[in-house]
Amino acid sequence: MDVLSDLLHRARAGDALVRQLVQRPPWALTFADATALTVVATLGGHAAIRFDETGAAPVGLAAGDIALITKVGEYTIADDASTPSQVVIRQGRKYRADSGDPVERQGWNLAPRTYGDGLPGATVMLRGAYELHGDVGGRILAMLPPVAVVPAGPRTRGALDLLAAEVGRDEPGQDAVLHRLLDLVLVLALRAWCARPGSDLPSWYRALADPAVGDALRLLHEDPARRWTIAALAAEVGMSRAAFAARFAGLVGEPPLTYLTGWRMTLAADLLRDTDATVAAVGREVGYEDAFAFSVAFKRARGVSPSRWRRGAD
């Protein structure tokens, strides 16, 4: 499994909520408790995303554009940046922005996972909300600014059309279909964003394009508990030890075993948070036979012992 796929898998990015809006302007929806990562796509018409809490400049979306939204607590999607909010969505429930009263479901739901008025001239929007998990999820979020807009293109359009065709259906296995299609849209959008000239990306992502270093990163992610040495990694990718070590450090920004330690600590942090495994068992899972050595490494990386980290996560 390649590194980005591994991160998405470990962050549990497959359990997402997918919804479609078909609404004639003027319209504006405020999402009061934003998820860690939101995918917004304009299928027809145009839209704007604004951030009333921070005062950041609104972002416009044309038909076929995809926006990836992170690191914000609240945002509004509207037909125009100046349209006042009409509906506030909080904890999955819709309330009128002017009165705070719940929005009646009758007349609002058009089809499964589809809401709005469905009148001629409507804007059509898709929204997928991800709750990324733990420190691994943080690595994905670190790749993105608060809003990343991916312009419409032939590679993303086909995936969006498939997702739009499925979102209003209610057939056996429908949730699985929607999750996989949304995952496809997300990965294509991430690729497109990261491929932009001058993108400010983590060094490890840029290093994936190098055949030898990219293979080494894949190996470290596939088997982080293995007793890796620089010589072993170099042999796996067909390079001399010295040349591999210099190439890896030059592209990734740190030596291979330093990167491995950081990845192990990321995995350990999530295991301590999410499981009841003993500290020693977590240490073994990430490559430390000695519980004391693991505890020392974890405290050096996180500033607290594994036990204190676990108590703080409860």
Side-chain angles (χ1 to χ4, degrees):
M1 185 181 295
D2 67 85
V3 175
L4 181 57
S5 297
D6 184 46
L7 290 176
L8 290 168
H9 172 72
R10 292 181 187 272
R12 299 179 189 168
D15 298 327
L17 183 71
V18 185
R19 294 293 183 266
Q20 180 173 228
L21 171 72
V22 185
Q23 184 77 26
R24 186 173 60 175
W27 58 269
L29 305 176
T30 295
F31 295 86
D33 41 11
T35 55
L37 172 62
T38 304
V39 181
V40 175
T42 311
L43 301 182
H46 60 273
I49 303 172
R50 67 171 186 259
F51 308 92
D52 300 324
E53 284 189 332
T54 64
V59 174
L61 298 178
D65 288 353
I66 300 171
L68 305 177
I69 305 173
T70 66
K71 308 180 183 74
V72 297
E74 178 178 308
Y75 60 90
T76 297
I77 306 176
D79 69 297
D80 186 86
S82 63
T83 302
S85 181
Q86 300 162 342
V87 174
V88 177
I89 299 176
R90 183 180 292 108
Q91 295 181 347
R93 302 194 65 179
K94 303 176 182 69
Y95 301 88
R96 297 189 181 279
D98 53 359
S99 66
D101 296 332
V103 173
E104 297 293 335
R105 294 179 64 88
Q106 187 175 5
W108 179 257
N109 287 66
L110 302 175
R113 309 171 196 84
T114 303
Y115 53 89
D117 57 30
L119 296 175
T123 301
V124 182
M125 301 286 300
L126 278 172
R127 177 179 176 270
Y130 285 96
E131 287 288 2
L132 297 185
H133 177 74
D135 281 33
V136 174
R139 289 202 173 202
I140 298 172
L141 298 179
M143 299 169 60
L144 296 166
V147 184
V149 177
V150 177
R155 294 192 70 185
T156 55
R157 186 72 220 194
L160 287 177
D161 288 344
L162 283 172
L163 183 55
E166 292 290 339
V167 71
R169 295 179 179 173
D170 195 11
E171 300 175 8
Q174 198 67 26
D175 286 340
V177 170
L178 292 175
H179 290 163
R180 283 157 179 77
L181 288 175
L182 183 63
D183 290 348
L184 175 60
V185 171
L186 171 62
V187 172
L188 291 175
L190 282 172
R191 280 183 186 170
W193 174 258
C194 294
R196 296 173 312 119
S199 296
D200 184 18
L201 296 171
S203 54
W204 63 261
Y205 187 91
R206 295 193 300 270
L208 296 178
D210 181 87
V213 175
D215 277 350
L217 287 168
R218 176 183 56 79
L219 290 167
L220 293 177
H221 277 251
E222 284 182 349
D223 193 2
R226 180 173 165 180
R227 292 188 177 183
W228 287 109
T229 64
I230 295 177
L233 279 168
E236 288 279 1
V237 300
M239 293 183 67
S240 71
R241 182 185 184 282
F244 168 72
R247 192 162 173 177
F248 190 103
L251 291 174
V252 179
E254 58 186 352
L257 299 187
T258 302
Y259 179 91
L260 174 60
T261 298
W263 177 232
R264 284 172 167 175
M265 295 304 105
T266 295
L267 297 176
D270 287 348
L271 286 168
L272 290 165
R273 180 187 292 115
D274 301 333
T275 74
D276 295 327
T278 65
V279 169
V282 170
R284 286 193 297 273
E285 177 124 356
V286 299
Y288 291 83
E289 291 298 328
D290 185 293
F292 178 76
F294 166 65
S295 296
V296 169
F298 190 91
K299 186 171 184 178
R300 185 184 301 119
R302 301 288 165 159
V304 295
S305 69
S307 297
R308 286 199 62 185
W309 173 268
R310 169 172 275 166
R311 289 196 297 270
D314 292 338

